[in-house]
């Protein structure tokens, strides 16, 4: 008889999620208002919807005066040298040396000029090329908050940042859930939950307002459900959940368009798993004790998932093609001037060398608008090699011992066959970004739009496959996986905060951030949209949860080791772990 195992996440995963949340909140203060990627443009779209502007055609949305009044300081004004040029000149003071407008004197968007467009001939707001879903949600949230239109501009932006944080915060939970549905044992599932914390660039993107947060959340949820499909889950409600997740992704960004292929491939592979009547995964035990498997083709759930998603989310892209003769039109409606470097000699090798180095560097540590600040090359190289090694181990080794959780009925296809499906979001996004960048390079000799953040939609799949590969590399010491990934994540976040504080927040003449923690926190508090006490409390909670999470990971390793010395099975083996459905005997009675 199989008994259901605990479906709730363990304490270590809960602490990882809390740490992730406090890190996001910390970054939301460490990066002043308007220092997110295209944050002013994203906020401007919300502000336009709030004032009945609808969703303009490409080239028709000009930045509102109320938004431009303060965001121009970072785009073309007094802070542009530090934020936009790619390198701060010695004459540019850091934020710590600048006295911001006192909180009580900061005005609202309406008071700063309102929704009227600026008239200085600048480029249009290019964000109209994206679907409006996150902006409709943001506008609805601000409209529902009493008196929000009278809030200071930075407080309104921070409210939108909190919306993004709420979408990105569950990523550790989603990674853990996907790993468990995929079949990984508990220590490796907990290691998967720690992977999103190891990408400081993701933390920075999640802490500011954009459409990447909703894309990460929706594709993360899709990955959880696809992991179940790969394990044999052919239920109708799972197909509906996949359709819902894919619909949200399709109404967020064009990078989600190829994910229909992921769903189409997952169902035939999941069909190889043991299943019972109506496509449900279960074993039928015969009188001889041998398992007889009934198979039903997966075309119904596959068509249900893909059909619903295309109908509910694909219409936007059909609309674009009908109206503008392009699936994703140029939001500027013109070719803007570019700041990317010219790459010579003009060849595929020259372009790809720049593309590979840049996208990997910005994936791990996209900490500035360009560079700096950035993670050191040593940290980037070490993280890249570690993840690459784990992924190779996951997709090349055929034995699943120590990786698949005990009590799990193995599928006909091992982890090495199913794992690449979970990597499809990041792989397909990589191809799309590369194709666009190379096409622009052939025209302008510049590698354009090489951003590592475009790969974050696949972070949950990366986490699961990395954890599975790490389990194979550890060979019987899987209990160490969670602690190892957490230690690496804390090292990466510490290096990132060191780089950001050194570049933006160190007082003039200082060189070591740790010696000036009080001054840095005080300076960040002056710029923050909320009282200094909230900033200090957030930083304190972040450190506290970091210590608690590390202590819990050490305790779990010691506990499992002590249980092994006493001859006891690890906690993950004390009960037979749940499958997607309890097995059914030949009589039809549940076990």
């Amino acid at each position: 008889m199989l008994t259901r195992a605990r479906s709730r996440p363990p304490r270590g995963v809960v602490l990882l999620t809390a740490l992730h949340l406090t890190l996001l909140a910390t970054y939301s203060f460490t990066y002043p208002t308007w220092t997110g990627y295209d944050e002013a443009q994203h906020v401007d779209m919300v502000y336009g919807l709030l004032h009945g502007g609808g969703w303009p055609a490409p080239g028709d949305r000009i930045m509102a005066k109320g938004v431009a009044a303060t965001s121009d300081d970072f785009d073309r004004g007094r802070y542009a040298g530090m934020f936009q040029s790619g390198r701060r000149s010695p004459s540019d003071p850091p934020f710590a040396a600048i006295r911001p407008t006192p909180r009580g004197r900061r005005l609202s968007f309406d008071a700063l000029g309102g929704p009227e467009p600026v008239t200085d001939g600048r480029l249009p707001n290019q964000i109209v090329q994206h679907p409006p879903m996150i902006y409709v949600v943001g506008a609805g949230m601000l409209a529902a908050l009493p008196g929000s239109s009278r809030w200071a501009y930075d407080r309104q932006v921070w409210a939108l940042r909190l919306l993004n944080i709420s979408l990105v915060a569950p990523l550790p939970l989603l990674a853990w859930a996907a790993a468990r549905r995929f079949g990984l044992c508990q220590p490796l599932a907990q290691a998967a939950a720690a992977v999103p914390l190891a990408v400081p660039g993701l933390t920075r993107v999640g802490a500011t307002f954009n459409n990447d947060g909703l894309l990460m959340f929706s594709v993360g949820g899709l990955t959880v459900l696809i992991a179940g499909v790969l394990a044999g889950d052919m239920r109708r409600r799972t197909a509906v959940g996949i359709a819902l997740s894919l619909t949200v992704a399709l109404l967020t960004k064009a990078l989600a368009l190829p994910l229909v292929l992921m769903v189409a491939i997952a169902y035939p592979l999941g069909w190889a798993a043991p299943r019972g009547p109506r496509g449900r995964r279960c074993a039928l035990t015969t009188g001889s004790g041998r398992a007889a498997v009934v198979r039903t083709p997966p075309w119904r759930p596959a068509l249900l998932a893909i059909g619903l998603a295309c109908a509910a989310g694909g219409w936007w892209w059909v609309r674009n093609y009908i109206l503008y003769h392009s699936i994703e039109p140029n939001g500027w409606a013109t070719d803007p001037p570019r700041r990317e470097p010219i790459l010579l000699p003009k060849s595929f090798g020259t372009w790809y060398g720049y593309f590979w180095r840049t996208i990997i560097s910005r994936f791990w540590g996209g900490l500035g608008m360009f560079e700096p600040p950035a993670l050191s090359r040593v940290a980037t190289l070490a993280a890249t090699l570690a993840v690459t090694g784990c992924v190779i181990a996951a997709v090349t080794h055929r034995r699943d011992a120590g990786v698949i959780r005990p009590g799990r009925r193995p599928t006909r296809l091992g982890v090495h066959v199913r794992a690449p499906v979970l990597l499809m979001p990041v792989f397909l996004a990589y191809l799309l970004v590369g194709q666009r960048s190379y096409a622009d390079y052939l025209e302008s000799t510049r590698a354009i739009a090489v951003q590592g953040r475009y790969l974050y939609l696949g972070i949950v799949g990366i986490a699961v496959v990395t954890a599975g590969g790490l389990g194979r590399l550890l060979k019987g010491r899987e209990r160490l996986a969670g602690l190892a990934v957490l230690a690496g994540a804390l090292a990466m976040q510490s290096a990132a905060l060191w780089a950001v504080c050194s570049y933006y927040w160190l007082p003039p003449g200082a060189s070591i951030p740790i010696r000036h923690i009080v001054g840095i926190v005080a300076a960040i508090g002056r710029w923050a949209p909320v009282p200094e006490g909230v900033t200090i409390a957030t930083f304190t909670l972040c450190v506290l949860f970091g210590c608690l999470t590390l202590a819990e990971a050490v305790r779990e390793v010691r506990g499992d080791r002590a249980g092994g010395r006493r001859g006891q099975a690890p906690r993950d083996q004390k009960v037979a772990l749940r499958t997607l459905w309890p097995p059914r005997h030949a009589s039809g009675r549940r076990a």
Side-chain angles (χ1 to χ4, degrees):
M1 176 178 177
L2 293 180
T3 58
R4 289 185 180 273
R6 174 180 62 183
S7 59
R8 297 178 181 176
R11 180 167 52 190
V13 175
V14 174
L15 286 172
L16 280 168
T17 306
L19 174 59
H20 185 49
L21 175 61
T22 54
L23 272 171
L24 289 166
T26 297
Y27 275 63
S28 74
F29 295 132
T30 304
Y31 281 89
T33 306
W34 306 131
T35 54
Y37 289 113
D38 297 326
E39 189 167 35
Q41 286 76 13
H42 289 292
V43 172
D44 180 65
M45 297 310 301
V46 174
Y47 190 59
L49 290 173
L50 270 174
H51 288 80
W55 202 255
D60 288 351
R61 176 64 190 179
I62 306 298
M63 185 83 73
K65 290 181 178 179
V67 176
T70 53
S71 65
D72 277 359
D73 284 340
F74 293 86
D75 186 52
R76 60 183 66 191
R78 47 182 172 168
Y79 310 135
M82 176 168 49
F83 184 64
Q84 289 283 355
S85 65
R87 185 169 297 277
R88 191 183 77 199
S89 68
S91 60
D92 293 327
F95 288 130
I98 301 172
R99 287 284 177 179
T101 303
R103 260 183 295 275
R105 292 167 49 192
R106 298 174 194 174
L107 302 177
S108 68
F109 288 128
D110 291 347
L112 287 167
E116 293 297 320
V118 296
T119 56
D120 56 5
R122 70 180 64 194
L123 285 170
N125 188 338
Q126 81 278 14
I127 301 299
V128 297
Q129 69 188 4
H130 298 298
M133 187 166 193
I134 187 60
Y135 311 102
V136 172
V137 174
M141 183 194 72
L142 288 180
L145 293 173
S148 63
S149 63
R150 297 187 297 274
W151 292 354
Y153 74 93
D154 57 342
R155 192 177 173 190
Q156 294 186 51
V157 174
W158 192 62
L160 293 172
R161 286 186 171 191
L162 291 180
L163 171 62
N164 208 46
I165 288 173
S166 70
L167 295 170
V168 178
L171 286 179
L173 284 173
L174 293 176
W176 173 82
R180 293 301 273 173
R181 287 176 65 86
F182 192 67
L184 298 189
C185 60
Q186 178 57 46
L188 297 184
Q190 192 155 324
V195 170
L197 282 74
V199 188
L202 184 151
T203 313
R204 180 263 175 99
V205 169
T208 54
F209 181 66
N210 47 61
N211 55 6
D212 294 305
L214 183 58
L215 187 66
M216 285 187 270
F217 177 75
S218 57
V219 178
L222 175 66
T223 305
V224 173
L225 297 172
I226 290 294
V229 169
L230 291 171
D233 184 355
M234 300 289 143
R235 291 176 296 177
R236 182 180 300 174
R237 67 181 185 185
T238 300
V240 172
I242 288 174
L244 178 61
S245 299
L246 186 54
T247 295
V248 174
L250 288 172
L251 293 178
T252 302
K253 216 165 186 176
L255 290 173
L257 286 170
L259 297 182
V260 175
L261 180 63
M262 178 187 183
V263 178
I265 292 176
Y267 271 99
L269 287 181
W271 190 44
R275 74 195 76 258
R278 300 181 184 177
R280 299 175 66 179
R281 181 186 184 277
C282 61
L284 302 183
T285 305
T286 64
S288 62
R290 307 178 76 178
V293 177
V294 179
R295 297 196 181 134
T296 304
W299 62 269
R300 286 185 179 178
L303 288 180
L304 177 64
I306 295 174
L308 285 178
C310 290
W315 64 270
W316 175 265
W317 308 104
V318 175
R319 162 198 175 272
N320 281 352
Y321 191 80
I322 293 174
L323 293 179
Y324 312 120
H325 308 291
S326 174
I327 293 178
E328 187 180 29
N330 181 349
W332 285 298
T334 186
D335 291 326
R338 295 294 187 177
R339 290 171 288 190
E340 290 84 355
I342 296 177
L343 304 177
L344 295 173
K346 191 171 184 178
S347 67
F348 177 83
T350 301
W351 166 80
Y352 189 72
Y354 173 85
F355 176 80
W356 167 253
R357 292 191 307 270
T358 305
I359 201 168
I360 291 299
S361 173
R362 292 176 179 175
F363 173 85
W364 292 107
L367 305 177
M369 177 56 72
F370 294 102
E371 290 87 14
L375 287 173
S376 68
R377 292 184 178 180
V378 174
T380 301
L381 179 62
T384 303
L385 291 177
V387 171
T388 303
C390 291
V391 170
I392 291 174
V395 301
T396 56
H397 290 194
R398 295 179 176 271
R399 295 187 61 187
D400 291 343
V403 177
I404 295 298
R405 65 195 190 197
R408 179 79 174 218
R409 183 181 178 89
T411 66
R412 291 176 178 268
L413 300 179
V415 171
H416 67 286
V417 177
R418 295 178 291 133
V421 179
L422 300 184
L423 296 176
M424 287 187 69
V426 68
F427 177 71
L428 294 172
Y430 182 85
L431 291 180
L432 279 180
V433 175
Q435 181 274 329
R436 177 188 173 186
S437 176
Y438 187 61
D440 288 337
Y441 174 72
L442 293 178
E443 293 184 4
S444 64
T445 324
R446 299 175 186 266
I448 296 170
V450 185
Q451 299 290 342
R453 60 192 169 98
Y454 296 148
L455 308 183
Y456 292 157
L457 80 167
I459 190 64
V460 171
I462 293 174
V464 175
V465 178
T466 298
L470 181 59
R472 286 183 166 143
L473 295 176
L474 291 175
K475 294 181 180 178
R477 298 176 179 173
E478 293 83 8
R479 65 178 183 275
L480 299 175
L483 179 60
V485 177
L486 176 60
L490 293 176
M492 292 289 284
Q493 292 289 352
S494 299
L497 288 172
W498 182 289
V500 172
C501 290
S502 297
Y503 187 78
Y504 287 135
W505 295 106
L506 267 185
S511 58
I512 302 178
I514 199 170
R515 293 182 178 179
H516 303 275
I517 290 179
V518 175
I520 289 173
V521 173
I524 293 174
R526 289 194 297 270
W527 282 81
V530 292
E532 285 90 340
V534 177
T535 306
I536 295 171
T538 300
F539 288 9
T540 303
L541 282 175
C542 186
V543 174
L544 176 62
F545 277 115
C547 295
L548 289 175
T549 307
L550 185 60
E552 175 65 15
V554 172
R555 187 196 67 79
E556 290 182 352
V557 169
R558 289 181 174 178
D560 287 345
R561 185 178 299 172
R565 286 197 300 266
R566 293 193 297 267
Q568 299 173 358
R571 181 176 63 235
D572 202 44
Q573 301 177 18
K574 289 183 180 179
V575 295
L577 293 166
R578 66 176 178 87
T579 54
L580 295 177
W581 295 270
R584 187 190 301 270
H585 293 295
S587 63
R589 177 174 53 85
R590 291 282 186 194

